[in-house]
Amino acid sequence: MTFIGNKSDLRVVGTRPVRPDGVDKVTGRAVFGADAIMSGQITGKVLRSPHAHARIVSIDASKALKLAGVKAVITAADLPNIASEEAFVGEGPMNFRDLSLNCMARGKALYEGHAVAAVAAMTDAIADAALALIDVKYEVLPHVIDVEEAMAPGAPILHDDLFTAGETPKPTKPSNVAKKVRFTIGDVEAGFKAADVIIERRYTTAPVHQAYIEPHACVAAWAADGQCTVISSSQGHFMIRSYCAKLLGIEISNIRVVPAEIGGGFGGKTLVYLEPLALALSKKAGRPVKMVMTREDVFRATGPTSGAAIEMKVGATKDGKITAAQAVMKYQAGAFPGSPINPGLMCAFAMYDLANVDVLGYDVVSNRPKVAAYRAPGAPMASFAAESTIDDLALKLGMDPIELRMKNAAKQGSKTAYGVTHGVIGYEEVLQAAKAHPHWSAPLGKNQGRGFATGFWFNIGGESTGAVFVNEDGTVNVVSGSPDIGGSRASMVMMAAEVLGIDVEKCRAVIPDTSSVGFTNVTGGSRVTYATGMAVTQAAQAVVEDLKKRAAMIWDISPEAVEWKDGEAVPAGANAGGFDPLPLAAIAMKSAKTGGPIGSEVSVNAQGAGPGFGAHICDIEVDPETGHATILRYTAVQDVGRAIHPGYVEGQIQGGAAQGIGWALNEEYIYNKKGLMDNAGFLDYRIPVASDLPMIEAVMVEVPNTRHPFGVRGVGEVPIVPPMAAVGNAIRGAIGIRMEHLPMSPPRIRAAIDGAKMPKAAE
């Protein structure tokens, strides 16, 4: 597809129209998962394990079934026993058998909050009473929470049939290490021998939750004829359809999933938890079943991202040329395999043009909820470790942190350790913009420090469907299969309007159910504006070609003699006839006489998503008495390809930075000795609020991706990658101590300050 126009030629792309869903959301009319209603619906609730690891000896639901108002009870015995098979849709690695076992425990409960039974009843109160009447007998087993403890010899084994993949020879003993993976380029040992300075560090990070405001919610109906309907808040209604069909053993064509609005996801709503259970309960009860998680359920039973232990080693010459980089990364997967270890390995050093890299990763199960994606899954932990080490390297060499990165910056033609050669990228431009920003040279005060860090995300494309239909009055419906979690309604109608040459207000964004548009993969990985936008753009271009043909029929001239300009058909020169321009509305009005309805649907498997790079500058003041770190100023610079709607892009950058700051300073899962979570709620799991943050300045650098007609490269993942290292580097500047564990909370900072004051033991 050819690149459409220079920025100065665009009339819609790059502007800031009112968001299509804005009015409904601020007035409360938008329908989210918990708002959905089906006629005759009843309530579904889940009984969850109170133990971190326990064998389920027996489940007796007879008393619950006798309770008046209870319509159904299900356990794993009511669900098909799914064979091991890699999932063919969704974000991140998942196995259908593991997905089924995560939805409902079979044989063993593997974490606190693991579902063991579910009920459907006439009211919430009856459902709660029924859960209390289900008698589950457990044999409590030893548990393991920490990733390195799970890897240790003698650790409690979660799965007797799990053998480490990637080992040679193939192991014969089960292990909690699900996978070992390695990427290398060049000769790392030779690289370290050539280094004048070597920095080695070890870092640990805690699991953190996506902290979306809307809990998981759905309503599902299994009709007497086998037709199923689900209304659900998710990042992919086709994903919901595929997963439910597979887990319940029914054909995909028998399930229709209607996308509700989504109150945040950030990757955490790319798995199913309630939908298969609601359908199974509905089949038994003969009524639609509505299920809504409590906030505690969300924390105890849905996927956070991984905690990690990471060892880093970086060598460089005296003039700052990095000669070798090495890392060992151990990522928690939760109760089932599938941590984002591969992206972590891919992203650690992808900002740099390095000849010698060796990154080794382990995917490790432990008695925690199965991890889910969280905005650039795997990359933030890797970047925290890599960029903290690079910062210490700059300090050791006496170099400016940005200059060190510029000396080693990835550019077009740089080859990554995971095998990809960078195309047109904007990392150098991002570094230059950060260096030139007034923030970088602003003065600092007492107990204050400035941190700088960069980050990378490869971005993805994939399968998407988009359609453009012209209505009888010349208005346009822009249809896409991607749930809107970050502004895709706006970007879709803006790109369609740009191609059609009409005002964006003439385009209406529509996100229909799974029976009304072609297959589209999940909204995640920063893929939607790129991939679904490509489908919508191609559909709009097809409509333009059709409109030109319609105009030619009306004028009785050749289609080659018609051009499309500013939303009108015009003769392509004096020889084409002296016809007055035909606006889109005029052609639409005569569509019945020129061939019928005007529209086009396009499905793509988009390739060539351009990677994104970001650089963040953070100023912090640390109170040495309390260890409290206050963010004073924050600037995030990012190559966004081309900003379709700059306001949305700025919001993505600011939101990612805010989440990364919370990850850096406060957020973590806290478990007690029994393997139970002690802070399952927003009172104790502390995310940043407005008073915790300054205004985050978003600086957009535009280096268009030549693989997209409007130069799009995804923007949603990159901004969460640099913040933890930027904050850590700022704290290092403020107190002179490298913090190597996340979160860098006040007690930990104060302990580090106190430890630095203690006299050294005599040697």
Side-chain angles (χ1 to χ4, degrees):
M1 187 187 303
T2 56
F3 188 77
I4 298 178
N6 296 316
K7 188 175 181 180
S8 59
D9 299 327
L10 301 173
R11 52 180 285 176
V12 178
V13 167
T15 63
R16 300 173 184 249
V18 173
R19 56 188 294 169
D21 55 330
V23 174
D24 278 355
K25 286 181 176 174
V26 299
T27 59
R29 289 202 304 263
V31 177
F32 293 85
D35 300 321
I37 296 173
M38 290 188 188
S39 178
Q41 73 183 29
I42 57 178
T43 295
K45 293 205 172 186
V46 176
L47 182 66
R48 302 187 180 279
S49 169
H51 306 292
H53 195 192
R55 184 166 286 105
I56 301 170
V57 177
S58 63
I59 303 177
D60 183 356
S62 57
K63 292 181 181 178
L65 285 166
K66 291 176 183 176
L67 184 66
V70 172
K71 298 300 180 182
V73 178
I74 62 167
T75 67
D78 297 288
L79 303 175
N81 200 348
I82 304 298
S84 178
E85 179 186 349
E86 185 178 347
F88 48 75
V89 66
E91 184 177 10
M94 195 68 201
N95 181 289
F96 279 125
R97 182 191 63 179
D98 294 344
L99 184 63
S100 175
L101 294 175
N102 195 45
C103 285
M104 186 68 77
R106 186 185 295 269
K108 283 203 304 184
L110 295 169
Y111 54 91
E112 180 204 15
H114 200 170
V116 296
V119 303
M122 296 301 295
T123 67
D124 280 6
I126 296 172
D128 286 333
L131 292 181
L133 291 173
I134 299 175
D135 181 20
V136 184
K137 288 186 169 52
Y138 295 98
E139 177 191 345
V140 178
L141 301 171
H143 67 272
V144 62
I145 296 293
D146 178 77
V147 62
E148 291 183 307
E149 290 178 2
M151 297 175 70
I157 297 296
L158 273 69
H159 305 281
D160 292 336
D161 59 350
L162 182 62
F163 302 88
T164 305
E167 288 275 23
T168 304
K170 186 176 180 180
T172 57
K173 291 184 178 180
S175 170
N176 291 326
V177 179
K179 179 174 67 175
K180 177 181 176 182
V181 69
R182 188 171 217 147
F183 298 130
T184 62
I185 187 171
D187 185 340
V188 170
E189 291 306 316
F192 283 121
K193 287 179 181 178
D196 298 311
V197 176
I198 294 175
I199 304 292
E200 293 187 70
R201 296 283 186 269
R202 182 180 184 276
Y203 306 89
T204 55
T205 74
V208 298
H209 203 270
Q210 301 85 352
Y212 34 79
I213 300 303
E214 179 202 16
H216 294 260
C218 69
V219 56
W222 189 310
D225 62 356
Q227 296 293 302
C228 299
T229 302
V230 180
I231 305 174
S232 174
S233 287
S234 80
Q235 290 179 236
H237 42 311
F238 287 92
M239 173 271 300
I240 297 289
R241 184 183 70 170
S242 298
Y243 284 174
C244 287
K246 194 70 177 180
L247 269 54
L248 295 171
I250 55 181
E251 291 183 347
I252 283 177
S253 62
N254 285 337
I255 303 178
R256 180 172 70 98
V257 182
V258 181
E261 294 292 347
I262 178 170
F266 312 110
K269 291 179 180 172
T270 55
L271 292 174
V272 291
Y273 301 98
L274 299 179
E275 291 85 356
L277 306 185
L279 279 172
L281 286 168
S282 176
K283 183 180 182 182
K284 264 197 167 187
R287 302 273 290 271
V289 174
K290 183 173 186 174
M291 304 184 79
V292 181
M293 282 192 180
T294 66
R295 183 61 59 187
E296 281 202 3
D297 286 346
V298 170
F299 274 106
R300 297 188 195 281
T302 71
T305 192
S306 301
I310 301 174
E311 298 159 17
M312 280 276 163
K313 184 178 180 182
V314 177
T317 58
K318 291 178 182 178
D319 64 352
K321 182 63 179 175
I322 298 175
T323 59
Q326 190 173 50
V328 178
M329 305 184 189
K330 305 160 188 175
Y331 278 22
Q332 295 164 346
F336 299 95
S339 74
I341 186 62
N342 281 53
L345 297 174
M346 292 162 65
C347 293
F349 300 115
M351 299 84 75
Y352 303 109
D353 185 5
L354 304 179
N356 305 299
V357 178
D358 179 15
V359 286
L360 171 65
Y362 297 90
D363 180 32
V364 185
V365 299
S366 62
N367 296 114
R368 298 174 176 263
K370 168 71 180 73
V371 302
Y374 182 16
R375 237 180 162 151
M381 301 86 86
S383 194
F384 167 63
E387 290 294 280
S388 297
T389 306
I390 296 291
D391 205 65
D392 283 350
L393 178 63
L395 189 69
K396 184 79 171 177
L397 293 169
M399 286 187 70
D400 176 274
I402 298 182
E403 292 294 336
L404 175 61
R405 289 168 173 85
M406 291 178 82
K407 189 176 186 67
N408 296 282
K411 54 186 72 68
Q412 185 174 359
S414 296
K415 184 163 180 157
T416 64
Y418 61 94
V420 169
T421 299
H422 285 309
V424 176
I425 58 174
Y427 185 50
E428 291 180 303
E429 289 85 345
V430 165
L431 292 173
Q432 290 162 2
K435 180 79 170 176
H437 196 281
H439 186 172
W440 185 242
S441 56
L444 290 169
K446 184 180 179 182
N447 298 322
Q448 295 178 1
R450 175 166 298 139
F452 180 83
T454 65
F456 162 87
W457 183 251
F458 43 85
N459 292 322
I460 61 173
E463 300 160 288
S464 283
T465 299
V468 174
F469 299 108
V470 179
N471 299 313
E472 303 92 309
D473 61 354
T475 58
V476 174
N477 288 338
V478 179
V479 180
S480 69
S482 297
D484 182 358
I485 66 171
S488 59
R489 282 186 180 92
S491 60
M492 295 304 123
V493 296
M494 289 174 72
M495 285 184 279
E498 188 71 60
V499 174
L500 295 169
I502 61 177
D503 292 338
V504 71
E505 290 77 14
K506 296 291 186 182
C507 296
R508 175 68 64 187
V510 181
I511 304 171
D513 63 63
T514 54
S515 298
S516 305
V517 68
F519 176 82
T520 302
N521 215 324
V522 295
T523 297
S526 292
R527 62 172 295 276
V528 172
T529 303
Y530 178 77
T532 309
M534 190 177 288
V536 164
T537 300
Q538 290 181 17
Q541 289 174 323
V543 166
V544 166
E545 293 303 312
D546 192 14
L547 290 167
K548 289 161 61 177
K549 292 177 183 177
R550 306 292 181 114
M553 292 177 67
I554 294 170
W555 289 333
D556 194 22
I557 62 175
S558 168
E560 286 73 28
V562 180
E563 293 182 348
W564 190 261
K565 292 182 179 179
D566 298 327
E568 297 178 325
V570 296
N575 294 333
F579 302 105
D580 291 332
L582 273 176
L584 189 153
I587 301 173
M589 192 176 297
K590 297 182 179 182
S591 61
K593 298 179 180 179
T594 58
I598 303 171
S600 174
E601 180 172 286
V602 172
S603 295
V604 300
N605 188 4
Q607 305 300 310
F613 295 83
H616 291 199
I617 308 169
C618 173
D619 289 357
I620 273 182
E621 182 175 309
V622 176
D623 183 340
E625 295 299 318
T626 64
H628 182 265
T630 301
I631 308 289
L632 303 174
R633 185 175 181 181
Y634 203 98
T635 302
V637 184
Q638 186 170 322
D639 172 20
V640 301
R642 176 164 287 159
I644 302 299
H645 189 302
Y648 270 116
V649 173
E650 289 166 351
Q652 288 286 328
I653 294 171
Q654 291 163 337
Q659 289 178 313
I661 290 169
W663 196 337
L665 293 178
N666 296 300
E667 297 183 42
E668 64 178 320
Y669 272 40
I670 299 173
Y671 284 90
N672 62 27
K673 292 181 179 179
K674 293 183 178 181
L676 312 181
M677 190 177 179
D678 280 342
N679 62 331
F682 283 144
L683 182 63
D684 297 308
Y685 181 94
R686 193 173 182 283
I687 63 173
V689 296
S691 58
D692 294 318
L693 299 171
M695 177 57 70
I696 295 168
E697 182 178 355
V699 178
M700 295 180 291
V701 174
E702 293 188 302
V703 178
N705 173 18
T706 57
R707 298 291 295 274
H708 190 275
F710 288 111
V712 167
R713 55 179 90 237
V715 300
E717 318 292 312
V718 172
I720 202 173
V721 182
M724 288 79 76
V727 171
N729 293 340
I731 291 173
R732 170 70 176 79
I735 66 174
I737 302 169
R738 168 61 61 196
M739 302 294 294
E740 297 177 336
H741 177 77
L742 295 182
M744 295 169 282
S745 56
R748 289 197 177 101
I749 293 177
R750 179 55 199 261
I753 294 172
D754 289 345
K757 291 178 180 177
M758 293 179 65
K760 302 295 183 183
E763 294 184 0

